[in-house]
Each structure stands twice: as structure tokens, then as C-alpha cells.
């Protein structure tokens, strides 16, 4: 005989479920309102399943699933991880880790009240602009500076504030897209400025910019290529030539540097990443760069340059909408101080990782190998990332773990309390010490041990 079809009425009501001990425990752990939400959702799903011919769930099973759902709702999605990929400015992993001083400054700003917009001697309203911007101008030798939420916002603000309803000249070789949907033509459209492409994909000359100028031109834009490179038969005018042209016509030249290094990357065997100081020296009216790329600070967009242009941007209503918060300003100021005190290479994690030699990585990889009694220590390459220095790498040593399924081992490494993010290359799981912070060796080894045991 066929089993009798299950009736929806056989499902317990929310009220009946709530009288069970297991449901009372849920209310204890997750609160009444959220528990009710989860119970209703669970019952709804059970109804759907019964309508499709499913069995009547056990009450205890229903409650266990509800607990799991509640746990899933509340477990944080933004969690710390160990970055063993060897990509220093890993955008998906939050780019730059902050220095100890920057962390402490952000914590102090978060914990209480402060002089965000307060003039202490006078006891009157002060300026938010004062904090990081004073340090920035000292550091790069610019007349003025402005801090916003991120570099995309800095570029958007500059284009909106200076070129809305007018034209912006930019080389066809620089109409880039970088990660996260930042595309020059789209930012341009959003700003209300009209993109006027000049030159060709591989070669653009100063004459192309000259020919593109008209009474509608409001700004000349140069964009760092960031994550790609043009090789072969190529040409772009120098920044100094563009700056001269812009000045002759009373126009601002905006240099979107992207990463915006303040120190020379070439001293560590990498290519030369253009510095903010070089752009200013070449005559850029405004330089835009990120706070959390090679600067090594919190997410922010930094604009430095001529006071007239910066002041116009500061007064623009969009500047208010894009302004940084106190945590950002505290961490940014502390980061900038490292440069002013000439201790950036020692204090800023990003620069410490760039400056660290291969031998240091080898010793750490060997220590991991000894602790695990497994893996091979191999030469490999770390990358800087963050849209800076494409194709450039730093020599490193990694611990390479063999596994029946490297993807499955890598997945297990991501399952721990403190997930470890590794690289899979040629059927091996690679762990690069360069991006594993000091003090993370122990937790990393614990995660690797249990992941390997689970794979057995
Ligand atoms: C990274 C980058 C941006 C965007 O910077 P965010 O701080 O991520 O908003 C803009 N322009 C260039 C050239 C970049 O490399």
C-alpha cells in the first residue's frame, strides 16, 4: 500500500515548536525575534518540501536545522585570514595590513571622542581636513592635499569638480579597467565630463593632445596603466610635456597614479613604480593615489597638488559625500608619520614585506617544513599586487605540499578558525612566508596540520 500523503496540517505550528525545550534554548542563544524569524523560514521550507511530495520532518530535526540556520546568519562574514599567497597587496584580502602605530591610532579614535573637527586651544569648531593633510603636504612637498574615501572617489571628485559638462583629454592607451569595476570611461561618464580620446592604443604623441584641445577642454588626465603593460612599438608623452601644455592653456593636469609609491621600489630589485613626488616635480597640478596600496595605510583616496584646484574640490558638495571617517584619518596620519620619521621600511608591513630578502623566506619555509615533517622548500616568486608593478616579482622560497587533490587541501586550509589562503600551482599547495605576518607561524602550522590529517 502507498503511504498516506503527508498533510501540511501535520506540521507543528510556530507556537507549538516554541514550547519545546530545544526552541527555548534557541531563544536563549539567539533572542526571541530572530528565533521566530528562523522558525518561520524553516517551516515554510518544510511546507514547500511536503508540497513536492517530501516526508514530514521530525520536530527535533526541524529545530536542529533552525539552529544551524541561525548560526549561519550570525557568524561574521568579514573574518581575519592568514595570507600565504605571496601577493602583498591582495585586494580580495583587504590590501595593506596596518602598522602597529596605525592600528593603535585607529583604536584610540574608535574608542572615544576626539578632536576630529575641534580646535582645542580655541575651544571652537575645527577642521577635519587638518589632520592627515598637513602631514601629506610636508611629505610630498605639495601646496595642498585632500583626503577622500578611496582613489576611485578622488578621481571622480576631480573630474566632477573640474570638468563637468566639459571635455577631458586622455590617451587611448590609458582607458583602463582595474579590478572592482573601476573603468576610466565609466567614471568619466558618471562625473558628467566628456571623454575626448586622443592618439592610438599603442602610440600617443604630444601633438595628439595639442590637436585635441579646444575651448571645451577643462582638464588633461593621465592614468597609470596599473595592471597591464604595453610593449613594443609604443609611445606616450612625458608627464612634464603634458604639464607644460596644460599650464600654457591654464588647464589642470590630473595624474591618476593608482598605487602612488612614496619610496622607490627599484631599490628592492623591482621595476620602478612612479612616485608621487616625481609626478609633482614633473608639474602635475593634481596627483591622485590610494591609501591602501603602496602607501601601506587604510583605504583612502589622496589628492595632492596646487592649492587653487584642491580648494575648488574641497568646496564641492561631492567632497562632503566622499569624506573619510575618523578611524581612517587616525590610521592614515600614523602611517604618514612613519614616512616623515624615515622609518617606513621598518614600520609599515607592506614595505617590510617588499624589503625582506629571499633568504629570510627560505629560513621560515625550512622551519615550517621541520615543524610539519612534510613538504618541499622550493624557489618561487612573490608579487606586489594592488595594480602596481605588473609582471614584476620578488624572489622567494615557499613550502610546497603534495596532495592527492591540491584543490581539496587548499579548501581544507580555508576551513579553520583562522583560515589560511594558499596558492595552488602545478598540483601542489604553496605557502609563501613573505605575506604571513609575524606571529602567525604557529596558527598557520596548526591549520596545515589538521588540514593534512583530514586529507589522510
Ligand atoms: C587602484 C587604482 C584606482 C582605484 O583606487 P581605489 O583606492 O581602489 O579606489 C584608480 N586608478 C588607478 C590607476 C588604480 O591603480
Amino acid at each position: 500500500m502507498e503511504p498516506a500523503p503527508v498533510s501540511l496540517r501535520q506540521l507543528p505550528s510556530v507556537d507549538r515548536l516554541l514550547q519545546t525545550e530545544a526552541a527555548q534554548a534557541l531563544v536563549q542563544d539567539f533572542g526571541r525575534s530572530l528565533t521566530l524569524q528562523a522558525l518561520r523560514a524553516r517551516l515554510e521550507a518544510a511546507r514547500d518540501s511536503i508540497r513536492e511530495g517530501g516526508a514530514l520532518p521530525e520536530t527535533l530535526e526541524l529545530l536542529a536545522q533552525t539552529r544551524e540556520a541561525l548560526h549561519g546568519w550570525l557568524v561574521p562574514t568579514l573574518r581575519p585570514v592568514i595570507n600565504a599567497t605571496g601577493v602583498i597587496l591582495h585586494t580580495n584580502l583587504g590590501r595593506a595590513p596596518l602598522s602597529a602605530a596605525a592600528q593603535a591610532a585607529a583604536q584610540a579614535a574608535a574608542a572615544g571622542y576626539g578632536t576630529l573637527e575641534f580646535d582645542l586651544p580655541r575651544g571652537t569648531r575645527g577642521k577635519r581636513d587638518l589632520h592627515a593633510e598637513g602631514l601629506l603636504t610636508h611629505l610630498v612637498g605639495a601646496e595642498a592635499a585632500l583626503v577622500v574615501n578611496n582613489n576611485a572617489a578622488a578621481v571622480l571628485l576631480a573630474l566632477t569638480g573640474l570638468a563637468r559638462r566639459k571635455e577631458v583629454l586622455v590617451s587611448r592607451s590609458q582607458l583602463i579597467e582595474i579590478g572592482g569595476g573601476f573603468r576610466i570611461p565609466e567614471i568619466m561618464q558618471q562625473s558628467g565630463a566628456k571623454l575626448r580620446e586622443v592618439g592610438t592604443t599603442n602610440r600617443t604623441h604630444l601633438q595628439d593632445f595639442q590637436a585635441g584641445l579646444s575651448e571645451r577642454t577643462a582638464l588633461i588626465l593621465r592614468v597609470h596603466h596599473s595592471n597591464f603593460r604595453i610593449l613594443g612599438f609604443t609611445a606616450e608623452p612625458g608627464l612634464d610635456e603634458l604639464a607644460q601644455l596644460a599650464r600654457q592653456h591654464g588647464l589642470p593636469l590630473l595624474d591618476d597614479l593608482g598605487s602612488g609609491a612614496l619610496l622607490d621600489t627599484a631599490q628592492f630589485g623591482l621595476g620602478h613604480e612612479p612616485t608621487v613626488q616625481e609626478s609633482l616635480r614633473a608639474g602635475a597640478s593634481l596627483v591622485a593615489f590610494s591609501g591602501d596600496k603602496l602607501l601601506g595605510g587604510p583605504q583612502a583616496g589622496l589628492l595632492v597638488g596646487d592649492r587653487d584646484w584642491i580648494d575648488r574640490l574641497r568646496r564641492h558638495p561631492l567632497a562632503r559625500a566622499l569624506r573619510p571617517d575618523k578611524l581612517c584619518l587616525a590610521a592614515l596620519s600614523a602611517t604618514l608619520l612613519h614616512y616623515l620619521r624615515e622609518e617606513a621600511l621598518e614600520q609599515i608591513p607592506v614595505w617590510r614585506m617588499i624589503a625582506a630578502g629571499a633568504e629570510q623566506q627560505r629560513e621560515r619555509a625550512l622551519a615550517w617544513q621541520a615543524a610539519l615533517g612534510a613538504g618541499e622548500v622550493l624557489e618561487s616568486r612573490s608579487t606586489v599586487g594592488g595594480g602596481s608593478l605588473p609582471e614584476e616579482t620578488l624572489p622567494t622560497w615557499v613550502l610546497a605540499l603534495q596532495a592527492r587533490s591540491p584543490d581539496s587541501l587548499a579548501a581544507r586550509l580555508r576551513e579553520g578558525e583562522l583560515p589560511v589562503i594558499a596558492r595552488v600551482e602545478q598540483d601542489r599547495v604553496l605557502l609563501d612566508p613573505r605575506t604571513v605576518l609575524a606571529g602567525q607561524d604557529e596558527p598557520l602550522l596548526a591549520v596545515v596540520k589538521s588540514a593534512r590529517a583530514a586529507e589522510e
Side-chain angles (χ1 to χ4, degrees):
M1 222 173 77
E2 291 273 313
V6 179
S7 153
L8 292 181
R9 265 185 254 141
Q10 289 171 263
L11 269 178
S13 66
V14 172
D15 284 336
R16 252 205 37 223
L17 284 178
L18 270 180
Q19 286 158 16
T20 62
E21 220 170 285
Q24 283 310 309
L26 290 180
V27 172
Q28 277 288 325
D29 293 351
F30 299 98
R32 189 177 165 81
S33 154
L34 208 59
T35 300
L36 275 174
Q37 246 187 74
L39 283 174
R40 289 196 183 111
R42 200 55 241 140
L43 283 170
E44 190 55 45
R47 268 182 224 114
D48 287 347
S49 146
I50 289 172
R51 282 194 200 100
E52 283 163 23
L56 186 71
E58 295 281 341
T59 299
L60 277 180
E61 178 61 21
L62 266 179
L63 289 163
Q65 288 166 345
T66 305
R67 174 170 286 277
E68 213 163 289
L70 280 165
H71 190 73
W73 290 357
L74 296 193
V75 74
T77 49
L78 184 57
R79 294 167 56 193
V81 301
I82 295 180
N83 175 10
T85 64
V87 181
I88 297 173
L89 293 168
H90 199 303
T91 295
N92 302 149
L93 301 183
R95 291 194 183 153
L98 296 180
S99 74
Q103 291 173 47
Q107 163 113 43
Y113 299 103
T115 55
L116 181 63
E117 293 181 357
F118 191 75
D119 184 325
L120 214 43
R122 292 205 183 91
T124 56
R125 180 177 179 166
K127 288 205 164 101
R128 176 184 303 248
D129 303 349
L130 218 76
H131 312 293
E133 290 162 21
L135 298 174
L136 255 177
T137 51
H138 285 302
L139 188 55
V140 299
E143 283 179 7
L146 179 62
V147 180
V148 290
N149 213 356
N150 56 28
N151 189 34
V155 174
L156 176 67
L157 175 62
L159 294 175
T160 311
L162 304 179
R164 188 171 167 77
R165 298 208 185 88
K166 299 246 178 89
E167 285 184 2
V168 173
L169 301 187
V170 58
S171 167
R172 288 200 163 86
S173 58
Q174 296 172 2
L175 296 176
I176 57 154
E177 168 179 329
I178 60 161
F182 180 86
R183 305 173 105 191
I184 291 295
E186 287 171 11
I187 289 278
M188 194 77 77
Q189 197 176 20
Q190 193 59 44
S191 74
K194 193 166 176 324
L195 172 65
R196 168 101 198 215
E197 303 172 25
V198 301
T200 64
T201 304
N202 59 325
R203 288 173 70 81
T204 300
H205 307 283
L206 190 65
Q207 295 91 291
D208 295 320
F209 280 93
Q210 275 162 338
L213 284 168
S214 74
E215 72 284 353
R216 291 183 304 277
T217 314
L219 183 142
I220 298 178
L221 172 65
R222 189 187 73 158
V223 185
H224 185 296
H225 293 144
S226 283
N227 42 17
F228 87 114
R229 236 186 211 177
I230 315 187
L231 302 170
F233 189 54
T234 65
E236 280 181 354
L239 195 62
D240 51 344
E241 294 176 289
L242 281 180
Q244 206 180 359
L245 183 69
R247 261 166 231 269
Q248 277 164 7
H249 292 83
L251 298 171
L253 169 70
L254 167 64
D255 190 15
D256 175 11
L257 261 190
S259 211
L262 296 183
L263 301 174
D264 186 7
T265 48
Q267 60 183 311
F268 305 108
L270 291 162
H272 177 69
E273 178 71 20
T275 67
V276 177
Q277 299 90 324
E278 283 163 2
S279 284
L280 290 169
R281 269 203 301 280
S285 337
L286 289 169
V287 184
F289 58 106
S290 293
D292 55 352
K293 290 184 179 173
L294 280 173
L295 190 80
Q299 176 186 305
L302 286 64
L303 276 160
V304 296
D306 297 350
R307 176 166 297 119
D308 289 351
W309 303 120
I310 295 264
D311 281 347
R312 263 177 70 177
L313 297 181
R314 203 188 297 286
R315 290 193 299 267
H316 195 281
L318 194 54
R320 168 64 179 80
L322 302 175
R323 77 182 184 188
D325 76 313
K326 59 185 179 180
L327 274 64
C328 166
L329 289 173
L332 182 61
S333 300
T335 306
L336 294 171
L337 269 178
H338 291 313
Y339 289 95
L340 284 165
R341 294 197 183 115
E342 300 186 17
E343 59 186 25
L345 288 182
E346 299 82 43
Q347 297 297 329
I348 297 180
V350 166
W351 284 100
R352 271 220 307 260
M353 292 179 202
I354 291 174
E359 192 50 35
Q360 223 175 306
Q361 316 311 325
R362 182 161 174 269
E363 278 166 26
R364 226 160 141 203
L366 284 169
W368 293 353
Q369 183 191 39
L372 293 167
E376 234 183 305
V377 176
L378 302 175
E379 274 190 281
S380 186
R381 316 291 297 181
S382 313
T383 53
V384 177
S388 59
L389 301 160
E391 311 282 302
E392 296 280 342
T393 56
L394 290 160
T396 194
W397 292 79
V398 297
L399 183 65
L401 298 169
Q402 296 274 11
R404 262 194 309 269
S405 161
D407 286 329
S408 142
L409 179 59
R412 285 201 195 277
L413 292 176
R414 296 194 302 270
E415 280 169 7
E417 270 290 297
L418 186 54
V420 171
I421 315 298
R423 216 160 76 209
V424 174
E425 238 176 67
Q426 291 170 353
D427 287 342
R428 278 194 277 225
V429 176
L430 306 187
L431 302 170
D432 188 339
R434 187 181 295 275
T435 48
V436 176
L437 303 180
Q440 289 186 331
D441 297 63
E442 286 305 317
L444 173 120
L445 290 171
V447 173
V448 175
K449 266 183 206 153
S450 69
R452 277 171 48 82
E455 282 287 285
E456 296 285 293

